[in-house]
């Protein structure tokens, strides 16, 4: 399992050791080609022949199969590539589904503290509870497959920035009394901020037909 997936990882049907063995035996160049070709083929097929059932199966894929199957395809791809963007969308979805209560707490704090339009761009209701955030991230992922891909990436990017801000401020609250909790929240904030940047860059590349 790559470092990026550890923080948002939950038990899955396929053991992580299998993933490590598969990748250790593969040519990195072949893995990269496979990642890009599968991402392009998947997105093209769904967008060319939109089928609501197929889209819903893709949106609910990690709930049924975990994250390892997707990791085998896309986790080692560059951050600003088509497979890298899809990988980040799924990781964000997994983070929300796995602990919607914490996600809602971070989002609401970030929404209050940020003086930006990110909350509006992300599209969450005010206030956004756990169920609303689960619905939101599924809507964003659904839009990646059946709507404007760049808009979906931009919404996810804005979502990450709100979450990152909330995580940072709550980490500051915990610092005097629970240093370990504060450190974990700070690490989450940094990861989410990176995802926000990666997704925004990927959206800009997509609009220029340069995201591969």
């Amino acid at each position: 399992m790559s470092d990026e997936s550890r923080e948002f990882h939950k038990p899955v049907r396929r053991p992580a050791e299998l993933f490590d063995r598969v990748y250790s035996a593969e040519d990195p160049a072949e893995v990269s080609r496979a990642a890009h070709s599968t991402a392009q083929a998947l997105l093209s097929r769904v967008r060319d022949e939109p089928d609501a059932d197929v889209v819903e199966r893709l949106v609910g894929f990690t709930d049924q199969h975990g994250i390892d199957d997707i990791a085998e395809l896309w986790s080692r791809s560059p951050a600003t590539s088509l497979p890298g963007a899809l990988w980040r969308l799924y990781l964000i979805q997994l983070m929300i589904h796995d602990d919607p209560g914490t996600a809602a707490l971070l989002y609401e704090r970030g929404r209050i503290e940020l003086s930006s339009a990110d909350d509006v761009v992300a599209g969450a209701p005010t206030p956004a509870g756990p169920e609303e955030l689960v619905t939101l991230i599924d809507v964003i992922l659904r839009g990646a497959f059946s709507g404007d891909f760049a808009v979906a990436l931009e919404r996810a990017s804005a979502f990450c920035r709100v979450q990152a801000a909330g995580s940072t401020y709550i980490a500051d609250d915990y610092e005097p009394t629970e240093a370990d909790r504060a450190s974990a929240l700070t690490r989450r904030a940094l990861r989410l901020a990176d995802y926000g940047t990666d997704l925004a860059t990927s959206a800009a590349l997509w609009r220029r037909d340069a995201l591969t």
Side-chain angles (χ1 to χ4, degrees):
M1 181 65 60
S2 71
D3 289 341
E4 285 188 349
S5 64
R6 293 183 190 278
E7 182 178 347
F8 302 150
H9 185 64
K10 65 179 180 180
V12 294
R13 297 177 180 176
R14 177 172 295 177
E17 290 79 6
L18 175 58
F19 168 72
D20 292 334
R21 288 200 301 272
V22 169
Y23 266 106
S24 66
E26 294 282 355
D27 179 347
E30 290 297 329
V31 172
S32 177
R33 281 193 287 271
H36 286 74
S37 64
T38 54
Q40 290 167 348
L42 175 64
L43 201 61
S44 296
R45 178 172 180 179
V46 175
R47 296 171 76 83
D48 290 344
E49 300 178 18
D51 183 302
D53 290 338
V54 172
V55 172
E56 291 310 309
R57 285 200 296 272
L58 289 171
V59 171
F61 186 88
T62 58
D63 285 337
Q64 294 294 319
H65 305 286
I67 198 71
D68 283 357
D69 288 330
I70 292 176
E72 287 193 22
L73 293 174
W74 299 330
S75 67
R76 296 192 178 187
S77 301
T80 53
S81 66
L82 180 57
L86 289 170
W87 170 239
R88 280 154 181 75
L89 288 176
Y90 272 113
L91 281 182
I92 295 164
Q93 184 202 40
L94 182 59
M95 178 189 70
I96 304 305
H97 280 221
D98 206 32
D99 189 358
T102 297
L105 176 66
L106 299 182
Y107 193 90
E108 184 63 13
R109 184 63 180 275
R111 182 189 67 78
I112 292 170
E113 299 288 355
L114 274 181
S115 56
S116 73
D118 284 326
D119 178 43
V120 176
V121 173
T126 303
E131 291 184 4
E132 286 81 7
L133 283 194
V134 168
T135 298
L136 173 66
I137 197 62
D138 288 353
V139 167
I140 290 173
L141 188 56
R142 191 175 294 114
F145 290 116
S146 59
D148 187 318
F149 190 67
V151 169
L153 296 182
E154 288 165 348
R155 292 184 69 185
S157 175
F159 180 90
C160 286
R161 287 191 292 272
V162 176
Q163 287 266 308
S167 191
T168 298
Y169 281 103
I170 293 177
D172 291 342
D173 294 342
Y174 277 111
E175 183 62 39
T177 57
E178 299 184 42
D180 289 345
R181 181 82 179 271
S183 295
L185 286 165
T186 298
R187 288 193 297 272
R188 176 179 286 203
L190 291 171
R191 177 59 51 78
L192 285 163
D194 285 345
Y195 284 2
T197 299
D198 295 339
L199 291 166
T201 301
S202 294
L205 289 170
W206 178 266
R207 292 188 187 283
R208 301 200 301 269
D209 293 325
L211 186 69
T212 59

